[in-house]
Amino acid sequence: MKTAVEVSNVSMRFNLSSQKVDNLKEYFIKFIKRELKYTEFWALRNVNLSIEKGDRLGILGLNGAGKSTLLKIIAGVLKPTEGSIVVKGKIAPLLELGAGFEPEYTGAENIYLYGAVLGYPKDFIAEKYNEIIEFSELGKFINVPLKNYSSGMKSRLGFAIATIVEPDVLILDEVLAVGDAKFKKKCEAKIQSMFDKGVTVLFVSHSLPQVQKICNKAILLEKGEIIAVGEIADVSRIYEEKTS
Amino acid sequence: MKKHISNFKKYRFLLGELVKKGVTLKYRHSYLGILWTLIEPLLTMIVLTIVFGSLLHRSNDPSFPIYILSGRLMYSFFSNSTKVSMKSIRSHSSMIKKVYVPKYMYPLSSILSDYIIFLISLIVLVGVGIVLNVRPTLYLFEAIIPLIILPVMCYGIGLVLATFSVFFRDLEYIWSVALMLIMYTSAIFYPVERIIENGYGWLLEINPLYNVIVNFRNAIFGQPLDMRALELSLLYSVGFMILGLVLFYKKQDEFILHV
C-alpha cells in the first residue's frame, strides 16, 4: 500500500496574549516596560500519522482537541511550528467553500476566480465550465452578481466548483450543509462517486454514526495528541467510553 | 528555487485573475469608468499649473504642465500601489484563513493592477504633449528604465509595509504621513535648482521616488539619464526588494494568526 498523506512529528503552537497589542505605540510602551507576555498553547503535539491510499479516515475528538487545526495543516492553510507534511497527489479541501468569491462579480466570473484560487489551470476551468453551471443548477442566474445570490445558491456554486476536480485526497468537515434536501442528495451522490473511485478521505465530525458510515479507519485526538489510532470499530469504542 | 518556480506557474492564472479583478472592479460602477484615470490627473495638472505657474512665473512655459503631470502621475502610482499592497494581506484575510495560496500573490497583484491603471493614465501625458507641441526625441526610449524601476521599488516597499501592517495596525497612519513628506520632496510642482543651490539636495535624494521621477523627466525632455539618480533609484529598488522579500518570507506563516 502506498501512503497518501504522511504527517511526521507535527506540533502547532499558538501564542495567546492576554491583551492584544496591535499597534506600534502600545508595542513600544509594553516592550520598554517588559510587559509583552504570551502564554503558549499547543494545539497539536508530536502528531504522527500516515494515511494509506484509499483509506477513509475519521478524525474524532472533543471540542478543542485540535481536529480543525490538523485539517488546516494538511490542507496547507496553516504551517506547523514543528514537523512536516507530505501529501501525494491532488488535494481537495471541502472545508469552507467559496473562499475568494467576489460579491461584485457574476457567478460566471466567480467560476474562473474561485477555480484559480483552488489552483486549477485556465483551460481546465473552460473545459468544465458548463458542467459546473449544470451541477450548481443556477441556470440564468449565472450572469447575476454574486451579491444578489441567496446563501444556498452561493454554496451550491462553491460546491460545484470545488468538486469538479478528481482529487486524490478529499478533506470533509462535518455535514456539508449545502442547499435544500434535493441538492444535498446530489452532493452526497457526488461524494459517493469519489469514494467509489478510491479517493483518500479525511473526515471530521462530532457525529459518531456518520463517521462509522463513511470511514474505515479513525484516530482520536485529545488535547492535541493522538490517543488512539486504528480500525473504526476499535477507535469508536474508545471514543464512546470517553464521552459517556 | 525550482519548487518556487513551479508553484508560481501553478498560480500564474490566479495572479492574472486577481490583477483583472483589481482593474475591473475599480471602475465597474462608475459612469465614466476608466475615463476617471485620465480626467483626474488632467484636472490636477490644470490647477497646479495655474497656481504654481503664476507663483513661479512659468505660466507661458509649455513644458511646465508636462513637468507637473509626469511627476504627479508617478507619485500617484507610488502612493496608491504602496497603500493597496500594504492593506492586501488584511483585506484578503478571509481567503488566507480558508485556502492555501502563495501569499506574495496578494501584494503582487495589487501592485500590478495599479501599474496597469498607471500605464493607461500615461495616455494623458501623450495627449497633453501633443496639444502643447512638446516634441519627443530619441531619448524618450530611456523612459523604459524608470518605468521598470518604479514597480519593483513599489513592490519592495509594499512587501515591507504589508508585513508590518499585519502586526501593527497604526502603520497605515504613519505611512500616510510619510507619503505626504515624499510628495513634497518629489519636486512634482516646483523646479529643483534653488533647493540644490541652497544645499538641500540631499533631502530630495533620500526620497526614493524623486530619483525615478528625475530620469522619467529627462527621457521626456530629451536629456540623457542622470547617472547618480539612476544609481540611487536602482539601489533603493533592489534594496527594498531584498528587505521586503526577506521580511515577508520570514513572517508570512504568522500572518494567519494575526489577521
Side-chain angles (χ1 to χ4, degrees):
Chain A
M1 276 304 238
K2 276 187 263 173
T3 50
V5 181
E6 184 78 52
V7 178
S8 19
N9 285 317
V10 163
S11 299
M12 185 75 213
R13 184 189 62 209
F14 291 107
N15 285 332
L16 304 173
S17 50
S18 35
Q19 310 118 301
K20 192 143 178 85
V21 180
D22 64 359
N23 63 64
L24 271 169
K25 188 189 80 188
E26 268 183 58
Y27 184 84
F28 278 117
I29 293 171
K30 294 238 153 96
F31 183 77
I32 290 163
K33 289 169 138 183
R34 290 166 193 266
E35 275 179 7
L36 280 174
K37 281 184 198 122
Y38 297 102
T39 25
E40 285 187 354
F41 168 71
W42 290 87
L44 289 175
R45 239 186 242 274
N46 281 319
V47 171
N48 281 292
L49 183 62
S50 92
I51 306 164
E52 278 166 10
K53 205 167 176 298
D55 263 355
R56 297 189 300 277
L57 182 88
I59 299 173
L60 294 165
L62 302 173
N63 280 336
K67 301 185 296 288
S68 303
T69 308
L70 182 60
L71 283 194
K72 278 189 174 170
I73 288 174
I74 293 172
V77 179
L78 275 175
K79 197 167 181 206
T81 319
E82 286 162 20
S84 64
I85 300 279
V86 181
V87 179
K88 293 206 181 96
K90 239 181 277 165
I91 182 165
L94 299 188
L95 293 174
E96 292 182 68
L97 299 173
F101 269 168
E102 171 56 52
E104 295 285 336
Y105 265 17
T106 65
E109 288 171 307
N110 267 305
I111 292 180
Y112 280 93
L113 180 62
Y114 187 46
V117 168
L118 296 174
Y120 306 167
K122 189 177 183 177
D123 353 324
F124 177 78
I125 304 172
E127 188 186 309
K128 299 280 185 182
Y129 180 76
N130 288 322
E131 205 180 311
I132 292 171
I133 295 176
E134 200 183 311
F135 190 88
S136 66
E137 297 175 1
L138 284 167
K140 61 180 193 302
F141 289 107
I142 203 71
N143 292 318
V144 170
L146 200 85
K147 60 181 176 190
N148 300 333
Y149 280 24
S150 70
S151 57
M153 288 159 89
K154 259 184 251 171
S155 49
R156 258 150 56 195
L157 186 63
F159 186 87
I161 301 168
T163 54
I164 204 71
V165 275
E166 282 178 12
D168 302 293
V169 180
L170 185 66
I171 300 183
L172 294 171
D173 195 354
E174 292 288 348
V175 208
L176 274 166
V178 187
D180 52 20
K182 190 173 139 246
F183 193 76
K184 213 172 149 189
K185 261 200 197 119
K186 203 168 155 186
C187 292
E188 280 166 3
K190 177 96 186 178
I191 291 173
Q192 189 61 48
S193 81
M194 288 182 177
F195 287 179
D196 297 341
K197 282 179 191 141
V199 67
T200 310
V201 180
L202 285 149
F203 181 57
V204 167
S205 175
H206 285 291
S207 144
L208 196 56
Q210 244 188 348
V211 176
Q212 281 167 329
K213 200 176 114 196
I214 291 177
C215 305
N216 63 343
K217 291 203 174 143
I219 60 167
L220 178 56
L221 282 170
E222 191 179 67
K223 293 191 180 122
E225 285 172 82
I226 296 185
I227 55 168
V229 54
E231 296 299 318
I232 178 78
D234 305 331
V235 178
S236 50
R237 201 176 313 122
I238 303 172
Y239 181 65
E240 271 172 340
E241 280 167 23
K242 287 264 173 202
T243 48
S244 59
Chain B
M1 195 63 205
K2 215 175 147 192
K3 206 181 80 199
H4 282 110
I5 291 170
S6 73
N7 205 24
F8 177 78
K9 275 191 186 151
K10 187 181 170 195
Y11 285 96
R12 201 176 37 185
F13 174 47
L14 173 66
L15 182 63
E17 281 291 311
L18 289 176
V19 171
K20 204 171 90 190
K21 190 175 101 172
V23 176
T24 54
L25 284 188
K26 196 158 186 179
Y27 300 106
R28 178 157 283 192
H29 291 297
S30 63
Y31 285 106
L32 291 172
I34 204 87
L35 272 180
W36 276 121
T37 327
L38 311 178
I39 296 167
E40 201 238 319
L42 199 61
L43 288 177
T44 5
M45 180 201 78
I46 293 169
V47 172
L48 288 176
T49 307
I50 293 170
V51 174
F52 290 97
S54 333
L55 273 177
L56 302 163
H57 308 291
R58 287 183 68 171
S59 311
N60 298 321
D61 181 357
S63 69
F64 195 54
I66 305 268
Y67 183 89
I68 291 178
L69 190 59
S70 53
R72 148 82 221 199
L73 285 173
M74 285 207 137
Y75 170 76
S76 57
F77 167 63
F78 180 83
S79 114
N80 290 339
S81 67
T82 50
K83 265 195 249 172
V84 179
S85 58
M86 171 171 63
K87 291 177 195 159
S88 64
I89 297 296
R90 275 174 43 212
S91 60
H92 289 95
S93 66
S94 65
M95 250 166 105
I96 289 173
K97 281 180 191 166
K98 287 174 187 165
V99 61
Y100 169 77
V101 166
K103 292 189 188 58
Y104 63 85
M105 288 284 176
Y106 302 116
L108 185 59
S109 68
S110 330
I111 297 275
L112 289 180
S113 49
D114 266 10
Y115 191 58
I116 289 172
I117 292 172
F118 165 66
L119 290 181
I120 294 171
S121 71
L122 289 182
I123 296 172
V124 186
L125 194 61
V126 176
V128 173
I130 292 169
V131 170
L132 296 178
N133 210 8
V134 175
R135 290 281 160 87
T137 58
L138 272 179
Y139 282 113
L140 194 64
F141 289 104
E142 291 171 353
I144 293 169
I145 296 169
L147 286 178
I148 291 173
I149 292 177
L150 186 59
V152 175
M153 185 189 285
C154 292
Y155 188 45
I157 295 175
L159 283 174
V160 177
L161 292 170
T163 309
F164 278 112
S165 76
V166 170
F167 302 96
F168 304 113
R169 301 285 153 96
D170 50 353
L171 189 67
E172 277 176 34
Y173 307 108
I174 298 171
W175 184 240
S176 60
V177 174
L179 275 176
M180 200 180 68
L181 297 178
I182 288 171
M183 184 187 78
Y184 285 122
T185 54
S186 287
I188 294 172
F189 39 74
Y190 55 82
V192 294
E193 288 78 20
R194 293 244 299 271
I195 296 172
I196 295 172
E197 275 164 28
N198 281 328
Y200 287 109
W202 59 269
L203 193 63
L204 302 173
E205 283 183 341
I206 57 164
N207 173 354
L209 182 62
Y210 167 75
N211 300 290
V212 185
I213 292 179
V214 165
N215 277 328
F216 188 54
R217 281 178 178 153
N218 281 342
I220 294 170
F221 294 123
Q223 270 152 35
L225 290 178
D226 179 333
M227 278 306 151
R228 186 172 158 78
L230 181 66
E231 280 164 21
L232 280 171
S233 54
L234 274 175
L235 187 76
Y236 281 124
S237 59
V238 174
F240 277 119
M241 193 71 174
I242 294 171
L243 179 68
L245 284 174
V246 169
L247 268 175
F248 195 83
Y249 270 92
K250 232 177 160 174
K251 289 286 173 192
Q252 64 173 355
D253 296 326
E254 289 175 39
F255 289 171
I256 190 171
L257 309 173
H258 294 268
V259 289

